[in-house]
Amino acid sequence: MNSRRPFLVAFLLTAAVWAGVAVPWALTDRGPAPAATPGPGASAGPNIAAEGRSRAAGRQALGMAWSSTWSATVPEGSAVPDAALGAGRCAELFTWATERSAVPRGTATAAFTLTAPENRGLVVRSLRVVKGRKLPPPKGTDVECLGAVDRGVPQSMESWGRLSLDRPRDLKVSRAVGPGATVGGLIETRTTDCSCQWWIEVEVWEGAKKRTIRIDDAGAPFTLAPPVAGIGAPAQGGALKYGTPDVALAREDSPGDAPSEAPSVSASRLLAGNGQEMWMVADREVPEVGRLTANLDVPGAVCQRVERRLVADGALPAGRAAYAVSIADPSAREDLERVVDVSLKVKKTVREGPPPQGYGCYPAQWGLQTNDKQTEASVRLSRDTPHLPVLTGEPVQLFRETEDEPATGTVFVTVEAWDPDDAEYHFTLDVTVEDASGKRTHHTVDDAGRPFVLASRPDGMAPRHEKYAYYENGHKVG
């Protein structure tokens, strides 16, 4: 075998993981000098590693877990487009913001790979974050993602730990990498008061030789600034644990420092779970769905990935959808029971233009399986119901997971739309919350600034009627 083939395989593997974003860095026997910051509009050119040395690549990542919150400040003069805001749009918001040199606030995650020389392995012994030059505090539009999980990062890449720019320390690790092999990971860096550049230095042993490898953002230092007040209300993060999509938000003017003690309410659509079918309509064909369904022999995984892709592309749920209505009350201490009323304000419209593309994805043993089983109420939309009561006097018990977090509770409702025509139902939720003293608060709840939308679907429609229908048992219909 050609002795260079393992080197080429490792290099191509690294390039594939980072899709051309990550750039290898040349190494020195000693710690590398800080790289100069590229000027406006400049790009960091390739810096090919010396023959026989380890290589590293890195980039910013959105988040590490469904409970993560990512926030950043986009420089002044950039208005966030509507297509990058709302449920299921975190990937679009992250891409849009990072392309405009947004500065992360409070916490930043870096994803990286390390590739051993082709003729010998390496052992990783420690990592540390290095503070670069100070930066002026960023000004502009604050953006935020609740439920920030970077789905462009392979699940095999584990978290290597959390580090702080305020209290630098070496993170001791022990990772052995074979000749020509690649290992990847995630590092989370935090600060409370530093507005500055930073990068990662990794200490490795190549045989008997100790080296320092620098990991940065494709040739430029990472950036980080102190945290800002959260954009989302406390209730908006409450439903993430139940399978709701991430939420992308923006704010042009920063509020005061004092958080509100008033109750907040949010609503989010639940995504399909294991063994549940999915129905959606789109204004156009979404080619990415075909690639996701290329291998349908993975029951319980394909439909969820298809739905997330369609949501991010702006497709609408059809026929039936379940929603989590979350209540958060920072002031609740002893009295943790609430009474909730929920009703819908509905507006029906008829789609213009050609019929939409219908998508259906069904478990291997298909039946009507939805997340209705956990709902307190189910309502059906029709043309003559502009105001539709859903729940009246529903008791809700609030829970406090930690002392520092507001007490929260969640109720679940299902909304149906079975019509023979091309109808769409746009609706908001009117929610009233009453505590034990009789104090009532009223809330109008929407989908991150826009109404919820549910498309109609002919009653009794079967998979064979879908424009694009997929079974999770290895074959496609339609």
Side-chain angles (χ1 to χ4, degrees):
M1 178 184 293
N2 189 322
S3 63
R4 294 185 59 83
R5 183 171 298 175
F7 172 81
L8 293 173
V9 170
F11 182 83
L12 291 174
L13 175 61
T14 305
V17 169
W18 303 116
V21 176
V23 179
W25 265 87
L27 307 177
T28 60
D29 292 345
R30 299 178 182 178
T37 304
S43 61
N47 200 348
I48 304 303
E51 185 73 24
R53 300 281 182 87
S54 305
R55 298 178 308 285
R59 70 164 175 86
Q60 295 186 62
L62 178 56
M64 301 169 63
W66 65 265
S67 57
S68 296
T69 297
W70 172 83
S71 63
T73 299
V74 184
E76 294 174 321
S78 299
V80 186
D82 288 342
L85 297 174
R89 304 297 179 85
C90 278
E92 284 72 21
L93 179 64
F94 178 73
T95 300
W96 179 87
T98 53
E99 286 177 349
R100 286 156 183 79
S101 302
V103 178
R105 305 305 298 256
T107 302
T109 301
F112 64 90
T113 56
L114 296 169
T115 302
E118 60 175 303
N119 57 349
R120 62 186 182 277
L122 65 82
V123 178
V124 185
R125 288 304 189 193
S126 69
L127 298 90
R128 58 179 172 268
V129 292
V130 180
K131 188 184 301 185
R133 69 180 180 89
K134 291 186 177 180
L135 300 173
K139 296 181 179 180
T141 301
D142 293 334
V143 294
E144 181 177 87
C145 171
L146 302 177
V149 178
D150 196 324
R151 302 189 183 280
V153 174
Q155 294 183 353
S156 58
M157 296 182 67
E158 62 178 319
S159 169
W160 283 32
R162 292 176 169 86
L163 294 170
S164 172
L165 287 174
D166 305 330
R167 295 176 296 278
R169 66 180 178 89
D170 282 5
L171 178 64
K172 300 299 183 181
V173 297
S174 181
R175 299 286 197 285
V177 186
T182 297
V183 65
L186 297 161
I187 287 288
E188 185 179 271
T189 301
R190 300 185 177 190
T191 187
T192 58
D193 56 15
C194 182
S195 182
C196 52
Q197 298 176 338
W198 64 279
W199 58 88
I200 301 169
E201 288 184 351
V202 185
E203 297 289 347
V204 303
W205 286 89
E206 298 174 4
K209 189 75 170 180
K210 181 180 180 181
R211 299 194 187 282
T212 299
I213 303 175
R214 170 174 163 149
I215 298 172
D216 52 25
D217 190 8
F222 296 105
T223 58
L224 188 59
V228 293
I231 301 174
Q236 286 187 288
L240 293 172
K241 66 185 72 174
Y242 301 109
T244 62
D246 53 46
V247 181
L249 305 166
R251 175 184 60 212
E252 292 188 6
D253 299 319
S254 296
D257 294 332
S260 172
E261 287 293 304
S264 62
V265 177
S266 74
S268 302
R269 184 173 72 87
L270 299 179
L271 299 180
N274 291 337
Q276 296 174 356
E277 73 275 7
M278 174 225 73
W279 301 320
M280 299 195 77
V281 294
D283 290 334
R284 65 177 185 89
E285 183 179 351
V286 183
E288 294 85 352
V289 170
R291 290 192 285 271
L292 292 173
T293 56
N295 179 6
L296 293 176
D297 295 320
V298 190
V302 177
C303 288
Q304 296 177 58
R305 296 178 65 192
V306 168
E307 185 174 24
R308 288 188 179 275
R309 177 63 261 171
L310 289 168
V311 168
D313 201 70
L316 304 177
R320 179 195 301 260
Y323 298 85
V325 181
S326 296
I327 301 99
D329 192 345
S331 65
R333 294 291 177 247
E334 302 296 333
D335 170 30
L336 295 177
E337 185 171 290
R338 297 293 183 268
V339 176
V340 176
D341 297 338
V342 180
S343 61
L344 304 184
K345 284 187 175 179
V346 186
K347 180 180 179 180
K348 178 183 177 181
T349 63
V350 177
R351 278 189 300 272
E352 298 179 355
Q357 309 283 345
Y359 285 87
C361 196
Y362 301 86
Q365 295 180 345
W366 178 71
L368 187 60
Q369 302 177 62
T370 69
N371 32 34
D372 294 2
K373 60 184 179 182
Q374 62 183 343
T375 63
E376 280 78 10
S378 179
V379 294
R380 183 165 180 166
L381 303 177
S382 66
R383 65 190 68 195
D384 55 354
T385 52
H387 182 266
L388 187 61
V390 181
L391 291 172
T392 302
E394 182 70 22
V396 178
Q397 187 70 33
L398 304 185
F399 297 94
R400 189 185 302 278
E401 294 187 5
T402 67
E403 191 61 32
D404 297 333
E405 295 181 352
T408 60
T410 303
V411 294
F412 304 91
V413 300
T414 296
V415 181
E416 300 178 348
W418 308 101
D419 279 342
D421 54 12
D422 293 333
E424 288 181 359
Y425 291 93
H426 300 241
F427 60 92
T428 58
L429 284 74
D430 281 346
V431 182
T432 300
V433 181
E434 181 179 342
D435 63 19
S437 68
K439 180 181 178 181
R440 296 163 66 90
T441 58
H442 301 274
H443 310 264
T444 298
V445 183
D446 56 23
D447 184 14
R450 53 174 70 91
F452 294 99
V453 184
L454 182 63
S456 64
R457 188 172 186 271
D459 204 352
M461 192 172 185
R464 64 180 179 274
H465 298 134
E466 301 279 7
K467 176 69 174 179
Y468 296 98
Y470 305 91
Y471 280 115
E472 286 193 338
N473 61 356
H475 70 276
K476 169 185 173 182
V477 179

